[in-house]
Amino acid sequence: MHDLTTTPPAPRPRRGRRASPARLSTRLTPLALVAAALLQGAPLRAQNIGEAPVADTPAGAGAGAAATTAADAPAAATGNAVADAPLVLRRTPLLRETIDGNEGKQRPSFVTGDNIDGTADFNTIVKGNAELRRGPLVIRANQLEYTQPDDLAKALGDVYINRGGDIFQGPQLELHVDAFEGFFVRPRYVFIKNDAHGEAERVDFIDEETMVIHSGNYTTCVRRPGAGWVPEWMVTARTITIDQRAETGTAEGAVVQFKGLRTPELPSVTFPLSETRQSGLLPPVFGINNISGAETTIPYYWNIAPNRDATLYPTVMSKRGVDFGGEFRYLESNYRGQMRGNYMPTDKLRERERWGIAAQHFGTFDTGIAAIGTVGMNLNLNQVSDDNYWRDFTRTVGSLTQRLLPTDLTFLWSKGDFSASARALKWQVLQDVNSPITPPYDRLPQVTAKYAKVDYGGFDFSVDGDYTQFQSRTALTNQPNANRSVAMAQVSHPWVAPGWFITPKALINSASYKFDSPLASNNQTTASRTVPTVSLDSGLVFERDTRLFGRNLIQTLEPRAFYVYTPFVDQNYLPVYDTTRADFNFASIYTENAFVGQDRISDNNLLTVGTTTRFIDADTGAEAARFGIAQRLRFRDQRIVMPGESTVTDRLSDIMLGASINWTPRWAFDSTVQYNPKTDRSVRSSIGGRFNPGDFRTISAAYRQQRGTSEMIDVGWQWPINDLWSWGKRDMTRIAGRGLGPGNVYAVGRMNYSMLDSKIVDSVVGLEYEGDCWIGRVVLERLQSSNTTATKRILFQVEFFGFSSVGSNPLQVLRRNVPRYQYLREDIATPSRFSRYD
């Protein structure tokens, strides 16, 4: 897809107008070589190359050339003033990519040729190596005739035009120079913005920004030597309109040829002239789905503004029907968002209407009124038509195909140390009779408020309030709905020094409940509890200089001790609405509560000890490696647990082990292991690594295991297959705006394999071929939808350089699934007009 930017569009130059002969005589003479003689009132005579005209040629103008400027013209008109005051060129300190149309017309003209003839104040004829140069325009020909009253230049024989890097070559040209209006007969042309080229019977120049190519062709394939060269792809059309202002081309009656295959004649095709975002058709996507049948998607991209765009992607499914999809994105300085929707009027397989919608919005607004502060709104909307939507449609947008779809609206406010929010959260649960889900609780509404102060006399403190109304289907949750009010307060005093830190903290958490039906445990409709907590966090930091494997490093040793005490306050009888046990990792092991949420505050009397050592590059400060270990020592049983759990009696917790190594940019390794010393086995482990030796070369692998529950291997890759037989013998650097060059085939994919089930769960496997002027993609996607079923589809795509943009499904699938995937056409820059400067 395309990136959004808030930069406003540059102003467009006004269309040039043909100047009158009277204005030319006082402002700028197009053929300055002849101008001096005309102004003297003498007839012209033939001159040899390098022979100066009546006026002296300014230094730096070149042999056989002369110039005049607006300032010089009046003086020259007086006759002898030319000899008395030689022409002087003005220098510019910068080379500019763009020149204003009016400014370009006021610049001097230079002409050279073997022989010159003409009539004063009417026409001028230059024969032999004729050349006219004005600003970014250069015209060369065997013969050049200029008629001054009409501002008309006629060129014959080996005519060549270079205008800002765009080149035209052919036998005959007629052009009104200032207005850039005219025609070129049987030209060959090359455009600088996308290196496109072709041939035509005729080109009509409408103005400085627009031209119409008649009976022409268009391609971006690099021309090879030899008369029999045929581009790999080419567009032929009755007319091709080039709009440089909009940077788009429109081909009427177009036929697209690719590798000898031809499409039927298309009424109209729009394509971009540069890599900037352009409205138009994106590459079509062809696929085969084991459920929906053959699929064809023809996306259309609408570049609404620099910070807004939309994409329409109708998809024809042979077994289902037509799915009308669309996406709208926007980006402003203080808010952003996107909306996506799909609508199928009739699904022939389900015999019903199908639809899905998703929207996200994030924004804040500074009112500019000190008494009010800053307000904001966040929205996450997800809704689908039925419970089978996630099963029938692939995961083009994750939120539309999960079985738990949230619709979450939050209003925010903040002013100084105060903040508040009001939230409404409602879930749509996509149920399956073979695998039912207990629905989470809706929060209708949730209101929060907070006051926080940092470093107030050395203390940090905060006060939080939360009121939430929880609603769900009691027949599925087996507990009553409730209104819950929570008040929390905490105060801490951090002492931090270069080699140590210590932070004592005190917390209190109070909650009250009002249920819509009595509790089964005690038949009460209300409940409350208050729980205090104290903690002490401390650590030391040692470091030393060291050297490993020829590398200067700084090694640190960072022991840490964290103690927390929370008395037992019975809460096991309370229902659970938003609480779960915290994941056991290096972040949660140094926290006061073993749970996430407000329905359980764990009783604790424990000490967490651990240490970390890091190796830091002494020259760059980059972390080369990190190793850590931590464990909890429990001094009494933890009696507060989640429903269905038993009291925690272990005095020693599992040991957390972690390692992260980034010794070189090519290699990366990361590992976390939860080890049980009693069973002498790992309870849970995650080990991953990545090898990335260069552009478009990456292999990543991860092993994730939770004993008795899951054991997965995850592998992702992008690699040029050509390297398999030429490793170490090829240039591994990318080409700007390209991959590694034509002829390369890239294997891409990601695969998840369940070792417990001995089967592949999800997989994306594909090939990309980089041609001289096109990219071909084929991707096979398999997504597990249940224990016994999976959705499979094959996607095909051909992308022509300079004719189609990116943004369709194969790229989205690869970017979403393959870690560190690189698009072959990234970082494309528009070439400078000076790269073809004559």
Side-chain angles (χ1 to χ4, degrees):
M1 295 295 292
H2 304 281
D3 294 329
L4 292 177
T5 175
T6 57
T7 305
R12 296 171 177 170
R14 299 178 61 186
R15 176 174 172 175
R17 296 180 299 174
R18 187 184 308 170
S20 65
R23 184 170 181 176
L24 283 170
S25 64
T26 58
R27 177 181 55 84
L28 176 65
T29 305
L31 301 180
L33 176 65
V34 187
L38 291 176
L39 295 173
Q40 293 268 356
L44 294 172
R45 62 179 176 84
Q47 294 180 349
N48 295 324
I49 295 178
E51 183 177 349
V54 176
D56 292 335
T57 301
T68 182
T69 65
D72 299 322
T78 62
N80 295 332
V82 173
D84 298 335
L87 303 176
V88 177
L89 293 178
R90 292 175 296 178
R91 296 189 179 188
T92 176
L94 298 175
L95 294 177
R96 290 181 291 171
E97 284 294 333
T98 59
I99 298 176
D100 180 82
N102 293 328
E103 179 185 352
K105 296 167 188 175
Q106 295 173 358
R107 295 201 167 198
S109 296
F110 302 94
V111 170
T112 60
D114 294 341
N115 295 281
I116 301 175
D117 195 4
T119 303
D121 299 324
F122 180 70
N123 75 330
T124 303
I125 300 174
V126 183
K127 295 182 179 180
N129 297 313
E131 178 180 299
L132 176 138
R133 180 186 298 271
R134 181 189 299 175
L137 174 66
V138 176
I139 301 177
R140 298 194 186 106
N142 293 337
Q143 177 175 313
L144 180 63
E145 179 181 355
Y146 177 74
T147 304
Q148 186 172 347
D150 296 327
D151 187 30
L152 177 63
K154 295 182 180 181
L156 293 174
D158 293 330
V159 183
Y160 170 95
I161 292 182
N162 185 336
R163 186 173 183 271
D166 292 338
I167 295 174
F168 300 83
Q169 293 175 281
Q172 181 181 352
L173 166 72
E174 288 192 14
L175 183 69
H176 295 281
V177 179
D178 270 1
F180 205 75
E181 296 176 359
F183 65 88
F184 210 137
V185 176
R186 297 192 301 277
R188 301 185 306 274
Y189 48 85
V190 182
F191 300 124
I192 189 171
K193 288 185 177 180
N194 58 1
D195 214 27
H197 58 92
E199 300 175 353
E201 286 297 317
R202 175 184 169 114
V203 172
D204 289 337
F205 300 106
I206 308 303
D207 56 31
E208 294 177 334
E209 306 289 348
T210 310
M211 68 186 72
V212 178
I213 300 171
H214 297 274
S215 299
N217 55 49
Y218 182 95
T219 185
T220 57
C221 299
V222 178
R223 182 179 293 276
R224 304 299 182 189
W229 174 82
V230 176
E232 293 184 294
W233 74 265
M234 180 173 63
V235 177
T236 58
R238 291 193 303 270
T239 62
I240 302 176
T241 302
I242 302 297
D243 188 341
Q244 299 284 9
R245 180 182 294 107
E247 296 187 337
T248 58
T250 303
E252 306 287 344
V255 175
V256 181
Q257 304 177 54
F258 174 63
K259 293 287 188 178
L261 302 175
R262 296 167 58 93
T263 67
E265 184 175 295
L266 305 174
S268 180
V269 176
T270 302
F271 54 92
L273 299 179
S274 68
E275 295 301 327
T276 58
R277 298 190 349 248
Q278 298 290 337
S279 299
L281 291 173
L282 299 176
V285 180
F286 307 99
I288 299 176
N289 188 299
N290 65 320
I291 297 177
S292 302
E295 297 180 354
T296 302
T297 304
I298 303 179
Y300 180 84
Y301 180 76
W302 182 17
N303 182 28
I304 302 172
N307 59 331
R308 289 182 178 85
D309 65 4
T311 306
L312 305 177
Y313 43 91
T315 302
V316 179
M317 305 178 185
S318 61
K319 294 183 180 180
R320 293 191 181 276
V322 181
D323 180 34
F324 298 96
E327 182 182 53
F328 171 68
R329 302 186 301 171
Y330 55 93
L331 175 65
E332 298 289 348
S333 58
N334 54 359
Y335 66 88
R336 59 184 171 85
Q338 63 181 26
M339 293 179 286
R340 177 178 175 127
N342 292 76
Y343 177 70
M344 180 176 288
T346 302
D347 184 348
K348 292 183 289 187
L349 290 181
R350 296 288 181 180
E351 296 183 347
R352 61 162 297 167
E353 178 187 54
R354 312 295 296 278
W355 55 266
I357 184 171
Q360 292 81 39
H361 173 90
F362 308 94
T364 58
F365 175 70
D366 188 352
T367 62
I369 304 174
I372 296 179
T374 301
V375 297
M377 186 190 79
N378 295 338
L379 172 66
N380 181 23
L381 169 66
N382 299 277
Q383 288 287 297
V384 296
S385 56
D386 55 89
D387 288 342
N388 291 311
Y389 198 91
W390 68 278
R391 190 193 309 276
D392 292 343
F393 297 97
T394 55
R395 291 176 238 178
T396 53
V397 173
S399 61
L400 286 184
T401 52
Q402 299 171 356
R403 294 181 61 189
L404 295 175
L405 305 182
T407 295
D408 192 352
L409 175 64
T410 305
F411 293 96
L412 307 168
W413 169 83
S414 64
K415 179 179 178 297
D417 299 325
F418 294 91
S419 61
S421 68
R423 179 186 187 191
L425 169 63
K426 187 172 181 59
W427 296 89
Q428 180 183 10
V429 182
L430 307 185
Q431 294 288 6
D432 185 346
V433 293
N434 298 319
S435 179
I437 295 177
T438 301
Y441 279 88
D442 300 333
R443 306 185 186 197
L444 299 171
Q446 179 181 18
V447 180
T448 65
K450 182 174 184 177
Y451 176 79
K453 197 74 175 177
V454 178
D455 195 15
Y456 186 75
F459 288 88
D460 299 340
F461 64 88
S462 65
V463 178
D464 295 71
D466 184 318
Y467 171 82
T468 306
Q469 181 173 319
F470 294 99
Q471 297 180 11
S472 189
R473 297 175 58 186
T474 56
L476 297 177
T477 61
N478 296 318
Q479 62 184 29
N481 296 328
N483 298 338
R484 187 189 68 191
S485 300
V486 178
M488 299 163 286
Q490 65 177 16
V491 60
S492 63
H493 192 299
W495 282 283
V496 181
W500 58 272
F501 71 90
I502 183 168
T503 305
K505 182 191 293 186
L507 309 90
I508 189 167
N509 186 299
S510 181
S512 62
Y513 296 80
K514 184 178 181 180
F515 308 106
D516 63 357
S517 61
L519 295 177
S521 59
N522 55 19
N523 207 35
Q524 294 181 355
T525 58
T526 61
S528 62
R529 56 106 178 114
T530 299
V531 183
T533 298
V534 293
S535 67
L536 181 66
D537 193 6
S538 61
L540 301 172
V541 180
F542 304 96
E543 65 179 42
R544 66 165 185 166
D545 295 329
T546 188
R547 186 176 177 83
L548 290 176
F549 305 105
R551 189 173 179 180
N552 294 324
L553 300 168
I554 299 174
Q555 182 186 7
T556 70
L557 182 63
E558 305 168 34
R560 183 178 180 183
F562 178 81
Y563 175 78
V564 58
Y565 176 80
T566 303
F568 171 77
V569 177
D570 188 17
Q571 307 154 57
N572 291 330
Y573 69 96
L574 295 173
V576 172
Y577 297 102
D578 65 350
T579 303
T580 186
R581 180 170 290 277
D583 187 33
F584 190 67
N585 52 43
F586 276 100
S588 64
I589 202 170
Y590 293 103
T591 57
E592 289 84 3
N593 192 9
F595 304 101
V596 177
Q598 303 298 333
D599 297 314
R600 294 289 188 273
I601 305 297
S602 59
D603 57 316
N604 288 317
N605 187 4
L606 57 84
L607 174 67
T608 301
V609 293
T611 188
T612 299
T613 182
R614 295 186 295 154
F615 291 87
I616 302 171
D617 190 287
D619 299 322
T620 65
E623 184 178 276
R626 175 197 292 257
F627 303 93
I629 183 172
Q631 187 178 29
R632 282 175 172 168
L633 291 77
R634 193 176 305 277
F635 301 112
R636 75 174 186 201
D637 297 346
Q638 179 188 322
R639 298 162 59 188
I640 302 298
V641 293
M642 294 290 291
E645 294 182 349
S646 57
T647 300
V648 180
T649 59
D650 295 335
R651 291 296 178 260
L652 292 176
S653 72
D654 295 340
I655 300 175
M656 288 297 304
L657 301 167
S660 176
I661 301 175
N662 296 274
W663 199 259
T664 69
R666 293 187 170 191
W667 291 93
F669 172 82
D670 187 77
S671 173
T672 302
V673 176
Q674 181 180 339
Y675 175 76
N676 189 324
K678 290 185 177 181
T679 61
D680 199 23
R681 301 173 72 181
S682 64
V683 176
R684 190 175 57 174
S685 57
S686 174
I687 302 172
R690 171 181 53 82
F691 177 52
N692 184 206
D695 289 313
F696 313 107
R697 297 173 172 89
T698 180
I699 297 177
S700 61
Y703 169 80
R704 301 179 181 92
Q705 175 256 355
Q706 189 165 352
R707 192 164 301 279
T709 303
S710 66
E711 190 172 6
M712 304 287 296
I713 294 178
D714 186 355
V715 180
W717 66 90
Q718 181 184 25
W719 203 272
I721 296 179
N722 311 57
D723 280 1
L724 298 179
W725 52 82
S726 58
W727 176 256
K729 300 178 182 179
R730 304 171 65 240
D731 186 1
M732 299 178 67
T733 25
R734 65 178 300 173
I735 302 171
R738 300 287 298 270
L740 298 174
N744 277 284
V745 180
Y746 304 83
V748 291
R750 184 174 183 175
M751 188 174 297
N752 295 322
Y753 181 79
S754 172
M755 299 184 67
L756 289 181
D757 300 324
S758 299
K759 68 177 183 180
I760 296 174
V761 181
D762 290 343
S763 62
V764 173
V765 180
L767 290 174
E768 291 184 294
Y769 174 78
E770 182 181 8
D772 175 53
C773 50
W774 61 282
I775 294 175
R777 298 183 182 89
V778 56
V779 175
L780 171 63
E781 182 181 38
R782 182 189 184 277
L783 302 174
Q784 196 76 26
S785 55
S786 70
N787 292 331
T788 57
T789 61
T791 300
K792 307 170 189 174
R793 62 173 180 166
I794 301 177
L795 301 174
F796 306 93
Q797 183 188 56
V798 177
E799 178 185 341
F800 302 124
F801 295 175
F803 188 71
S804 299
S805 300
V806 302
S808 7
N809 288 348
L811 283 172
Q812 295 175 357
V813 169
L814 295 175
R815 282 174 164 165
R816 186 174 63 246
N817 290 278
V818 180
R820 302 177 73 90
Y821 170 78
Q822 282 184 280
Y823 169 48
L824 299 180
R825 292 273 289 163
E826 282 180 334
D827 303 327
I828 302 172
T830 301
S832 167
R833 68 182 178 93
F834 296 104
S835 61
R836 291 182 185 164
Y837 184 77
D838 282 324

